[in-house]
């Protein structure tokens, strides 16, 4: 973000008017072919919620922009994008509840385990063991 300001000036803060688009009802996602943030979804969540003039109204909205909205745009929302019976079990267990920490601390959250299509991909502590 800082290097953008050097070349573009203060208007770089308004390059992505996500808040205005969200308020207008646009279906937004938090990824692109020009990834200005780190690839970690947790870092990206914190960045869009703390970036000046970004306008993402809440953590709930930001999470939807990373999960359900891309699934809808790809026409995969019948099988992914949310946790529902009949959909792929693609999910992650985090070290803390993101809704209980300050937004500025989201990127410090650790991934404890992941499932992809219901199969364990990462689970060093055996959280998915029965």
């Amino acid at each position: 973000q800082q290097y953008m300001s050097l070349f573009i000036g203060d208007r770089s803060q308004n390059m992505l008017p996500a808040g205005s688009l969200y308020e207008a009802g646009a279906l937004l996602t938090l990824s692109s072919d020009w990834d200005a943030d780190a690839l970690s979804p947790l870092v990206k969540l914190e960045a869009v919620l703390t970036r000046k003039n970004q306008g993402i109204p809440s953590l709930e909205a930001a999470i939807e922009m990373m999960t359900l909205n891309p699934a809808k745009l790809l026409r995969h929302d019948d099988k992914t994008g949310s946790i529902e019976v009949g959909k792929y079990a693609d999910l992650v267990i985090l070290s803390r509840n993101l809704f209980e920490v300050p937004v500025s601390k989201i990127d410090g959250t650790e991934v404890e385990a992941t499932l992809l299509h219901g199969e364990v991909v990462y689970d060093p502590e055996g959280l998915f063991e029965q």
Side-chain angles (χ1 to χ4, degrees), residues 91-93 113-115 120-123 125-130:
L91 57 95
V92 57
I93 296 177
T114 59
L115 290 180
V120 176
V121 175
Y122 175 74
D123 188 11
E125 300 297 320
L127 297 173
F128 289 118
E129 292 178 11
Q130 296 180 354

Side-chain angles (χ1 to χ4, degrees), residues 10-44:
D10 291 338
R11 61 188 180 178
S12 71
Q13 297 296 322
N14 297 313
M15 284 182 63
L16 300 170
S20 299
L21 293 169
Y22 179 83
E23 292 299 322
L27 196 61
L28 302 178
T29 67
L30 290 180
S31 189
S32 75
D33 58 353
W34 177 38
D35 220 355
D37 300 311
L39 294 178
S40 165
L42 296 166
V43 172
K44 188 176 293 287

Side-chain angles (χ1 to χ4, degrees), residues 10-81:
D10 291 338
R11 61 188 180 178
S12 71
Q13 297 296 322
N14 297 313
M15 284 182 63
L16 300 170
S20 299
L21 293 169
Y22 179 83
E23 292 299 322
L27 196 61
L28 302 178
T29 67
L30 290 180
S31 189
S32 75
D33 58 353
W34 177 38
D35 220 355
D37 300 311
L39 294 178
S40 165
L42 296 166
V43 172
K44 188 176 293 287
L45 282 173
E46 181 176 320
V48 300
L49 292 167
T50 59
R51 185 176 293 142
K52 181 181 173 186
N53 297 332
Q54 188 70 29
I56 303 298
S58 66
L59 178 58
E60 294 91 343
I63 290 172
E64 189 171 285
M65 291 174 195
M66 295 189 87
T67 56
L68 188 55
N69 288 1
K72 286 179 181 177
L73 290 168
L74 293 168
R75 297 186 179 150
H76 291 220
D77 56 315
D78 60 327
K79 52 190 167 232
T80 190

Side-chain angles (χ1 to χ4, degrees), residues 79-114:
K79 52 190 167 232
T80 190
S82 60
I83 301 171
E84 297 178 48
V85 173
K87 290 189 174 185
Y88 296 145
D90 298 341
L91 57 95
V92 57
I93 296 177
L94 301 175
S95 61
R96 56 188 171 187
N97 184 339
L98 300 183
F99 296 96
E100 295 177 355
V101 297
V103 171
S104 62
K105 303 291 183 190
I106 288 175
D107 72 338
T109 303
E110 300 290 326
V111 173
E112 294 189 347
T114 59

